[in-house]
Amino acid sequence: MEEPALFQAGLIPLGWGENAAGGDALYCLDSMPDRRPVVSLDYLSFSMELAGGGDRESLLEISQPAAEDFTTYAEQLFLR
């Protein structure tokens, strides 16, 4: 979770979990847009992308929306 490429891309890691397809995912808060959405990065694609440098644009290409903002993400996680 201490991957510098994530922070350089404006992505703040929140934790690991499952993505919508049931695979492993890293959930990150995207700190760049005004609304601060939470995105999930597919673990396998994420690992391969870091080997290639992992800039913001390429990391966002392998991301999927997980929640509109951190509050919604926390509610989904803790208030199920």
Side-chain angles (χ1 to χ4, degrees), residues 9-11 29-37 39 56 60 68:
L11 300 172
L29 179 66
D30 187 351
S31 66
M32 299 270 181
D34 292 336
R35 291 182 50 214
R36 310 258 191 270
V39 298
R56 178 175 170 78
L60 289 179
E68 297 178 14

Side-chain angles (χ1 to χ4, degrees), residues 1 6-7 9-15 26-32 36 38-39:
M1 296 258 279
L6 289 173
F7 293 100
L11 300 172
I12 301 168
L14 299 174
L26 173 63
Y27 287 86
C28 297
L29 179 66
D30 187 351
S31 66
M32 299 270 181
R36 310 258 191 270
V38 174
V39 298

Side-chain angles (χ1 to χ4, degrees), residues 10-78:
L11 300 172
I12 301 168
L14 299 174
W16 293 97
E18 269 189 13
N19 60 20
D24 292 328
L26 173 63
Y27 287 86
C28 297
L29 179 66
D30 187 351
S31 66
M32 299 270 181
D34 292 336
R35 291 182 50 214
R36 310 258 191 270
V38 174
V39 298
S40 69
L41 301 172
D42 176 70
Y43 177 73
L44 293 176
S45 299
F46 169 68
S47 298
M48 290 187 292
E49 186 54 48
L50 287 181
D55 64 4
R56 178 175 170 78
E57 186 175 313
S58 58
L59 287 170
L60 289 179
E61 285 179 14
I62 63 167
S63 75
Q64 297 293 320
E68 297 178 14
D69 52 37
F70 182 76
T71 302
T72 304
Y73 172 75
E75 287 173 350
Q76 291 171 353
L77 189 63
F78 297 112

